[in-house]
Amino acid sequence: MRVVTTITALKAIIRQSKSEGKSIGLVPTMGYLHEGHLALASKAGEENDLVVMSIFVNPTQFGPNEDFESYPRDLARDTKLAESVGVDIIFAPSVEEMYPEDGGITIKAGRQSEILCGASRPGHFDGVLQVVTKLFHLAEPTRAYFGQKDAQQVAIIQTLVRDYNFPLEIRTLPIVREADGLAKSSRNVYLTDSDRAVAPAINEALIVAKEEFLLKGNADAAIKLASRHIETKTSGKIDYIELLSYPDLKTVTEKTEHFLIAAAVYIGKTRLIDNILFSLKGEATC
Ligand code: AMP
C-alpha cells in the first residue's frame, strides 16, 4: 500500500493503472476509520483491481461553528486499518494541495440539499460536491463507494453524476452499527460515557417510527412517536426527524415506493445522524 499526498503522485498512479486496463474503486472518507469505512473499502476491493481511499477532512463542507478543527485525525492508525482491508492507495492531501486558491468556482447543490442536513448545515452539500467532483476527476474511478449512513449525500451525489455525466458507478452499502444499534461514526469518539449510553435511542426511535408508519401510514404520527422516544430516553436536542420519499426527498404520497426516515440529534454536544430506508415490503437500500 502507498500513501500519497500530492495530486501529481496520485495522477501518475491512476495513469499507469488505466494503461494496464485496471478498474479503480474510490472510497472517499474523512478518516478516523471505523468498520463502516472498512466495509466500503472491502467491497471496493472485491469489485475493482485498484482501491484508492481518500482521507481528507474537507474544510469546505464544514460551517463556521462546526467541528472542522477538532474533527478526529490519525493517519498512522488509518493507514494500518486501510492496509488490513486491502486498500492499495491512500490519497491524503493537505488543504492547500486540494484548494490552492480561495475564491474559485464553487458548485451549488440543488433542491435535494434544501432539507434535512442541508437545512441545518447551509453550504454543507456544496462543499461535499466540490470535493467529490475533484476526487472523481483525480482518481477517475470505475466505481465510487458511499455509505447509506449519509443517505441524503448519496442521493445528491447520484444527481451530480447523472446531471454532469460522470462516467462512473455509485455503489452504496448499508449502515454498519454497534451491537446496540448506534450507527458507527468517527464523531462517536466525542461522546461521554453517559452520552454513549443513551445514543442508541436514535436508532430505536427510527425503528419505532418505521413500524408505526408501516402499520398506520401516517407520517406525522410516526415522527411524533420517534420524537417522544428520543425525548423520553435522552436529554438530547432534536435537530430534525423526517420521513420523506427516497431518493427525491419529497413529502410522501400514496405513490411513494421508497421511504427515508432520517434524524439528526445532539446528544450532549455531539450531533449524530442516522436513518432507515424502507419500502412497504421491508428494508431497502440506496
Ligand atoms: P466520512 O468519513 O464520515 O465522511 O464517511 C466516509 C464514507 O463512509 C461515507 O460514504 C459515509 O457514508 C460512510 N460511512 C460512515 N459511517 C458509516 C457507517 N456507520 N456505515 C456505513 N457507511 C458509513
Side-chain angles (χ1 to χ4, degrees):
M1 190 182 72
R2 282 179 63 189
V3 180
V4 297
T5 56
T6 66
I7 286 174
T8 312
L10 177 65
K11 287 201 77 109
I13 293 167
I14 299 299
R15 206 174 307 123
Q16 176 69 30
S17 301
K18 291 266 167 186
S19 75
E20 292 166 7
K22 288 185 174 165
S23 57
I24 297 171
L26 172 69
V27 184
T29 81
M30 299 205 298
Y32 215 73
L33 303 179
H34 52 67
E35 285 83 351
H37 301 112
L38 301 181
L40 296 175
S42 299
K43 193 67 172 177
E46 283 167 29
E47 297 180 345
N48 301 275
D49 302 318
L50 186 85
V51 178
V52 178
M53 174 182 274
S54 59
I55 296 184
F56 179 60
V57 184
N58 173 35
T60 70
Q61 69 188 68
F62 286 79
N65 299 316
E66 293 182 357
D67 57 344
F68 173 69
E69 297 295 340
S70 58
Y71 196 86
R73 293 163 171 89
D74 189 341
L75 187 58
R77 171 184 176 278
D78 287 348
T79 305
K80 284 197 199 107
L81 288 170
E83 188 155 33
S84 74
V85 291
V87 170
D88 299 296
I89 308 293
I90 287 182
F91 176 53
S94 65
V95 171
E96 296 71 33
E97 181 71 6
M98 286 295 266
Y99 304 120
E101 275 177 42
D102 238 3
I105 291 172
T106 54
I107 300 178
K108 185 102 192 74
R111 186 195 50 77
Q112 287 162 305
S113 73
E114 287 162 10
I115 40 160
L116 306 175
C117 285
S120 340
R121 305 183 68 189
H124 168 68
F125 288 111
D126 302 345
V128 168
L129 293 186
Q130 181 179 31
V131 75
V132 162
T133 297
K134 281 188 75 101
L135 292 170
F136 286 173
H137 285 307
L138 295 174
E140 298 179 47
T142 318
R143 301 175 189 87
Y145 293 79
F146 294 91
Q148 186 207 303
K149 165 88 187 317
D150 299 274
Q152 184 178 18
Q153 169 173 281
V154 171
I156 293 171
I157 291 172
Q158 293 273 22
T159 302
L160 173 79
V161 166
R162 184 198 67 196
D163 287 358
Y164 287 87
N165 311 94
F166 281 89
L168 55 88
E169 185 188 346
I170 299 293
R171 303 277 290 125
T172 310
L173 289 183
I175 301 177
V176 177
R177 299 180 180 281
E178 303 289 355
D180 58 11
L182 174 65
K184 295 209 183 229
S185 164
S186 306
R187 288 189 169 98
N188 289 352
V189 295
Y190 298 148
L191 299 171
T192 64
D193 288 349
S194 56
D195 292 341
R196 175 65 189 82
V198 298
I202 304 172
N203 181 232
E204 290 160 15
L206 297 177
I207 295 170
V208 165
K210 180 188 104 171
E211 283 168 4
E212 167 75 10
F213 181 74
L214 288 176
L215 214 59
K216 308 221 183 89
N218 182 332
D220 288 343
I223 297 301
K224 275 207 189 88
L225 217 56
S227 305
R228 203 174 315 137
H229 186 88
I230 288 172
E231 284 156 9
T232 315
K233 297 277 171 156
T234 80
S235 52
K237 184 170 138 314
I238 297 172
D239 179 1
Y240 66 75
I241 305 183
E242 290 192 52
L243 204 165
L244 299 168
S245 63
Y246 193 86
D248 50 350
L249 305 178
K250 290 184 173 164
T251 306
V252 301
T253 68
E254 305 86 75
K255 292 205 180 111
T256 304
E257 284 180 17
H258 290 101
F259 302 87
L260 173 73
I261 171 135
V265 181
Y266 286 91
I267 298 288
K269 290 193 178 119
T270 310
R271 183 175 176 279
L272 298 178
I273 60 169
D274 198 353
N275 69 75
I276 299 176
L277 272 167
F278 63 99
S279 72
L280 296 179
K281 294 186 199 113
E283 292 268 328
T285 48
C286 292

